[in-house]
Amino acid sequence: MLEDASTDRRKFLKYGAAGMAIASTTHVALARRDGINVSSEPEELAVDVVSDVDVVVVGGGTAGTVAAIQAGRAGAKTLLLERSGQLGGMTTVGGVCYPGLFDAWGKQIIAGIGWELVKESVELDGGKLPNFSRVPARHFQNQVVVNQHVYSILAEEKCVQAGVEIAYHEFIHEAKPTATGWELFCVGFGTRRTVRCKQIVDCTGGAEIAGMLGFERMREDETQPGSYLFQLGGTYDVGRKQLHQIYVHGADSTNSRTVTEAKLAGRQLVLKKLRAAQGEKRLMHLQPEPGFRESYRIVGETMVTVNDYRNGRKFKDAVCNAYYPVDLHTKTGVRPQQLKPGTIPTVPRGALIPKGSKNLQVAGRCLSSDRLANSGLRVQAPCMAMGQAAAAGAALAAKAGITPGAVPLEKLYALLREHGAVIPGEEAAAKEPEVSY
Ligand SMILES: Cc1cc2nc3c(=O)[nH]c(=O)nc-3n(C[C@H](O)[C@H](O)[C@H](O)COP(=O)(O)OP(=O)(O)OC[C@H]3O[C@@H](n4cnc5c(N)ncnc54)[C@H](O)[C@@H]3O)c2cc1C
């Protein structure tokens, strides 16, 4: 029975928890039928949200999660935009839940917020941490296996505690510079967000925002294969062992169409394996996303070359260490090329700054580096350390009203030390971060 019917056109402003203005225009045709609200248009079909923040981190993956926590803890009003529905990126959604390498040659070379997250995830999950004072026979033996579910919810909690506003299922469709930073136009389902911010840290894996803003990016014609992670037969002992992997050649994370293609192709390969098992093995686990090894990298103020990487060049503006073999996957597999004993490569701040840009940095696998250097730098511990360094720079730059490249290195180092990061050359001083919310 129709109880009441009205067309209600409202325009109003609401204020969210973080003081964010929510301007929503709703056109709601209301009716009540048999005690149920019925409308011809979903209520709040298009809510316009306005966010005024210091730092926007785009991409809540391996690097971006750490970046957002660092920016928030440094006192910057921080918004984290993540187009999927959880934090961790390749570490969790991709199922590559064995971050490495925090150590080299018997000592810890990367610590800080990434290490805090990894360590707490393992402890909470009753797992075991490697002993970094021992140099393992094979480099990957000191990677830390984490429970991907624990990792992503712990990361979420740490963001919230650091005062970071998380916006899942949103991405930027337009961005433009302003006198004091950036204006960004974002969309999510049911949400249109305008963001005014001073600094952007692009942690999208493929430098998508740098590309959108017209800064140069590079990528070879052929990229490393992606991989789909799954468990066929047995059980997936999450947090204890790695998943099975299958190469997805040509996997390309550039846009929704190429990602869809990679998903379809990867899942078909898994289905083929299942069929080949002829009922003897069950599909016990399948990650929601394929893993992408390589995409666009920025052309930065500084480019890390494979010679820099192999020789462990200590850049004057080094913001973190890295360590992993040169590790390029091809159609036929991978033959890691080990670094000479004692070599610890570094990441310069200039490799995180798109050439000619202001108020913009990247962090993660899209740093400015040649292909072979990138094949080692792309692993998770350096990505986390880059995220922390870029965000610390962004927070300081936002406060001082300058661009991150102009932040005095001593100030940057002081903030990073305060939050537990290892400054290149100070490996022996690695200590637990002092957590302050
Ligand atoms: C199969 C495989 C095996 C690997 N093995 C190892 C290993 O053994 N050890 C190791 O340490 N590393 C390994 N790596 C490398 C490592 O996992 C990745 O290079 C690293 O995690 C990349 O981190 P990132 O932060 O740059 O990107 P990601 O973790 O991919 O994060 C990017 C995030 O940005 C989001 N995003 C993208 N675009 C947008 C947008 N426009 N708006 C909002 N959000 C967006 C994504 O959803 C994602 O959450 C492996 C990688 C793969 C694929």
Side-chain angles (χ1 to χ4, degrees):
M1 189 188 87
L2 192 67
E3 295 162 17
D4 176 39
S6 63
T7 299
D8 185 5
R9 287 180 180 269
R10 290 172 285 168
K11 193 172 181 94
F12 56 91
L13 257 184
K14 285 192 267 173
Y15 285 89
M20 160 190 88
I22 305 174
S24 88
T25 309
T26 53
H27 304 273
V28 188
L30 295 173
R32 262 180 92 70
R33 253 181 250 139
D34 300 326
I36 301 167
N37 294 321
V38 179
S39 67
S40 60
E41 290 177 77
E43 194 170 356
E44 298 190 341
L45 181 62
V47 176
D48 290 318
V49 179
V50 180
S51 301
D52 263 300
V53 297
D54 299 314
V55 176
V56 169
V57 176
V58 192
T62 311
T65 297
V66 172
I69 297 169
Q70 172 63 87
R73 285 186 187 171
K77 202 169 169 199
T78 305
L79 174 70
L80 173 58
L81 295 169
E82 167 52 49
R83 73 177 178 205
S84 77
Q86 70 175 81
L87 298 182
M90 279 302 112
T91 316
T92 60
V93 184
V96 186
C97 34
Y98 31 96
L101 282 169
F102 292 91
D103 67 307
W105 317 115
K107 58 191 172 189
Q108 184 152 6
I109 58 152
I110 293 174
I113 293 168
W115 175 243
E116 172 195 321
L117 254 172
V118 167
K119 187 167 169 278
E120 281 185 35
S121 299
V122 172
E123 287 168 352
L124 194 55
D125 192 43
K128 256 172 99 187
L129 290 163
N131 176 356
F132 290 152
S133 66
R134 264 190 244 134
V135 181
R138 313 282 302 273
H139 68 275
F140 51 79
Q141 288 165 330
N142 269 359
Q143 303 208 108
V144 192
V145 184
V146 297
N147 179 321
Q148 54 174 302
H149 313 304
V150 174
Y151 186 90
S152 81
I153 53 178
L154 194 62
E156 198 168 75
E157 182 184 66
K158 284 182 187 289
C159 280
V160 172
Q161 285 170 338
V164 174
E165 187 190 345
I166 300 173
Y168 284 135
H169 307 299
E170 285 186 40
F171 54 88
I172 301 171
H173 70 89
E174 200 188 330
K176 53 183 188 195
T178 63
T180 52
W182 302 100
E183 190 168 37
L184 313 173
F185 303 96
C186 313
V187 282
F189 55 89
T191 308
R192 283 188 306 240
R193 187 190 295 265
T194 304
V195 184
R196 285 184 284 268
C197 68
K198 295 175 183 155
Q199 297 291 330
I200 299 175
V201 186
D202 176 348
C203 298
T204 55
E208 288 175 30
I209 311 309
M212 179 185 281
L213 289 164
F215 295 101
E216 280 185 340
R217 297 185 298 169
M218 56 187 156
R219 194 179 80 160
E220 283 67 21
D221 285 341
E222 193 188 329
T223 54
Q224 297 181 61
S227 287
Y228 222 110
L229 276 71
F230 62 100
Q231 172 80 38
L232 187 60
T235 48
Y236 173 34
D237 197 358
V238 62
R240 298 291 180 274
K241 71 176 206 190
Q242 297 184 11
L243 288 160
H244 301 143
Q245 291 191 20
I246 191 157
Y247 272 158
V248 186
H249 294 288
D252 178 353
S253 62
T254 304
N255 55 51
S256 54
R257 301 176 311 282
T258 57
V259 170
T260 302
E261 261 179 49
K263 283 188 170 189
L264 293 176
R267 289 172 187 164
Q268 273 303 307
L269 292 169
V270 174
L271 198 53
K272 201 169 159 195
K273 282 211 162 267
L274 177 63
R275 288 200 172 109
Q278 298 188 326
E280 282 176 19
K281 288 179 182 168
R282 294 176 56 220
L283 182 61
M284 303 302 288
H285 184 88
L286 182 67
Q287 287 297 136
E289 295 277 338
F292 297 95
R293 287 190 174 80
E294 204 175 9
S295 182
Y296 286 99
R297 316 180 294 278
I298 58 160
V299 175
E301 297 286 346
T302 310
M303 165 99 70
V304 185
T305 67
V306 72
N307 280 342
D308 297 330
Y309 190 78
R310 283 204 176 106
N311 295 326
R313 178 169 170 193
K314 301 286 171 265
F315 286 94
K316 273 198 201 125
D317 59 344
V319 287
C320 66
N321 289 318
Y323 177 64
Y324 209 74
V326 171
D327 194 63
L328 196 76
H329 291 248
T330 64
K331 281 201 161 48
T332 51
V334 61
R335 273 196 215 104
Q337 299 165 23
Q338 301 298 334
L339 300 181
K340 284 196 201 110
T343 306
I344 305 173
T346 66
V347 176
R349 177 167 66 182
L352 308 181
I353 300 178
K355 200 172 187 157
S357 72
K358 271 191 191 160
N359 306 322
L360 172 67
Q361 295 172 94
V362 304
R365 67 171 193 258
C366 56
L367 83 157
S368 177
S369 44
D370 71 21
R371 192 168 187 226
L372 285 180
N374 191 268
S375 73
L377 288 164
R378 72 189 167 93
V379 295
Q380 293 175 30
C383 286
M384 292 174 186
M386 286 180 233
Q388 183 165 0
L396 289 168
K399 204 166 170 192
I402 55 177
T403 194
V407 171
L409 279 172
E410 269 322 311
K411 277 201 168 171
L412 178 63
Y413 291 160
L415 182 60
L416 288 170
R417 277 186 206 108
E418 198 186 312
H419 292 272
V422 176
I423 310 301
E426 298 179 9
E427 291 75 26
K431 63 177 179 69
E432 294 301 310
E434 286 161 25
V435 182
S436 56
Y437 304 128

